[in-house]
Amino acid sequence: MDPNPIGFQHHDHSHCVADAVAAADRSCREAGLQLTPVRKRALEILLEEHRALGAYDVLARLAEDGFGSQPPVAYRALDFLTKHGFVHKIEKLNAFIACAHPGELHTPAFLICTTCQAVAEAETDPSHSLLANIAETTGFRISRAVLEAEGTCPNCLASEKR
Amino acid sequence: MDPNPIGFQHHDHSHCVADAVAAADRSCREAGLQLTPVRKRALEILLEEHRALGAYDVLARLAEDGFGSQPPVAYRALDFLTKHGFVHKIEKLNAFIACAHPGELHTPAFLICTTCQAVAEAETDPSHSLLANIAETTGFRISRAVLEAEGTCPNCLASEKR
DNA sequence: CCCGAGACGTAATAACATAACATGCACCAG
DNA sequence: CTGGTGCATGTTATGTTATTACGTCTCGGG
Ligand SMILES: [Zn+2]
Ligand SMILES: [Zn+2]
Ligand SMILES: [Zn+2]
Ligand SMILES: [Zn+2]
């Protein structure tokens, strides 16, 4: 079990938080959005952890840093970040995770390891999407899709075999 | 992918509840599972409604019928039904719905209309599954997948245009 | 008869999420 | 400058979803 997986590999974590926050900052400025202190801090928290956190986990850290301590503080920040694509909600876990591919418009797919709790965000090809095909044949117009899979990550599979 | 979502068409509802319950009964007997009165009634409730119900909605109806009135009563019945494929949980809605294609082993995909609340269950072709491909390239072993899309159903699209 | 597994019931609590309302501040029209 | 509007933030209170813990009953095998 491995505390720092992006995807399921280790990586040097030192710069990615700052980089991602800077990118979000830029992106918000361009779009006329306000990446306020709470929102920015919430994003940082998720990036630092690099895993799925519950809203109350985020809230506790925000409160430590002097922000409000009531649920709406966290939920509002997370709503903003989710709405604008900087963060995704993992429905299966009722938890939030920083987007691993921000900027691009995408429908993420998540792989959730039930052994080590790691969550990887995979890119999907929208044109080949299963759901897109279904939608086409049924006449349904999709606005948002959720793709999540629970299972065992490569690392934990390897450990099992030993 | 086999597109047969019974979700967005009207259909004669009179026999499908009894049929589905009978099928579940048979299936449980074969598998050595106990489809006890609470469990059977919970399944009936979901079939009768033919839509996604929250656990507490199911619980209220079970209580009306003389079963226990505390949350675990509903959650245990729903866990059983979900575990054995008679019912699916819609993660986006925190709600449960009777399986529209019971018996077959399948990974369902759900189309959720945000206008009329209808939920359709579509079959997916496991071999073309997006997630299966991702899993293959990353070495992740999938045990359960969640595929859900929010949007507008054909009926509501038609109404919009008028 | 005794035992263990599993189904069911209750009480209590945890975990997740939103409603409703008040304050402060930037911005702009008058 | 001033009043008003929009929006972000904060708080209190409450609503919704889910689980833990524990006692009872029943059914079968030894
Ligand atoms: Zn993403
Ligand atoms: Zn793992
Ligand atoms: Zn199904
Ligand atoms: Zn509809």
Side-chain angles (χ1 to χ4, degrees), chain A residues 140, chain B residues 8 112-118 151-157 159:
Chain A
F140 187 94
Chain B
F8 301 128
I112 305 164
C113 179
T114 51
T115 302
C116 70
Q117 273 55 258
T152 313
C153 77
N155 299 338
C156 290
L157 276 177
S159 308

Side-chain angles (χ1 to χ4, degrees), chain A:
Chain A
M1 181 171 110
D2 153 352
N4 235 358
I6 182 172
F8 298 120
Q9 289 100 271
H10 289 261
H11 73 290
D12 177 6
H13 197 61
S14 42
H15 291 297
C16 65
V17 174
D19 290 354
V21 171
D25 225 334
R26 223 177 308 122
S27 161
C28 283
R29 218 176 314 268
E30 284 169 15
L33 302 171
Q34 306 184 44
L35 189 62
T36 59
V38 220
R39 293 168 176 176
K40 181 182 281 194
R41 185 68 192 116
L43 178 58
E44 278 174 7
I45 289 164
L46 289 174
L47 286 162
E48 284 164 4
E49 291 290 333
H50 239 315
R51 59 191 180 92
L53 291 184
Y56 279 70
D57 296 329
V58 174
L59 177 59
R61 283 172 175 74
L62 288 174
E64 281 174 13
D65 294 354
F67 296 102
S69 61
Q70 299 307 313
V73 170
Y75 281 103
R76 285 196 286 235
L78 292 168
D79 284 349
F80 171 90
L81 294 168
T82 301
K83 187 172 174 189
H84 297 103
F86 304 115
V87 161
H88 301 293
K89 180 171 187 185
I90 314 289
E91 297 291 341
K92 245 316 312 171
L93 303 178
N94 293 321
F96 300 83
I97 192 165
C99 178
H101 308 279
E104 316 139 44
L105 208 56
H106 62 280
T107 295
F110 295 98
L111 301 175
I112 306 164
C113 179
T114 51
T115 302
C116 70
Q117 275 52 258
V119 177
E121 177 178 350
E123 292 289 351
T124 61
D125 178 349
S127 65
H128 287 90
S129 160
L130 189 64
L131 287 170
N133 292 343
I134 292 170
E136 196 178 333
T137 61
T138 59
F140 187 94
R141 189 184 60 200
I142 293 177
S143 53
R144 277 182 308 279
V146 174
L147 306 176
E148 299 172 4
E150 277 187 349
T152 312
C153 77
N155 299 337
C156 290
L157 276 177
S159 308
E160 261 177 27
K161 282 179 192 152
R162 270 194 286 104

Side-chain angles (χ1 to χ4, degrees), chain B residues 4-5 7-8 11 25 31 35 41 45 52 63 67 73 83 106 125 128 132-133 138 144 161:
Chain B
N4 194 5
F8 301 128
H11 72 289
D25 225 335
L35 189 62
R41 185 68 193 117
I45 288 165
F67 295 102
V73 170
K83 187 172 173 188
H106 62 278
D125 179 346
H128 286 97
N133 292 344
T138 58
R144 277 182 309 280
K161 282 181 192 151

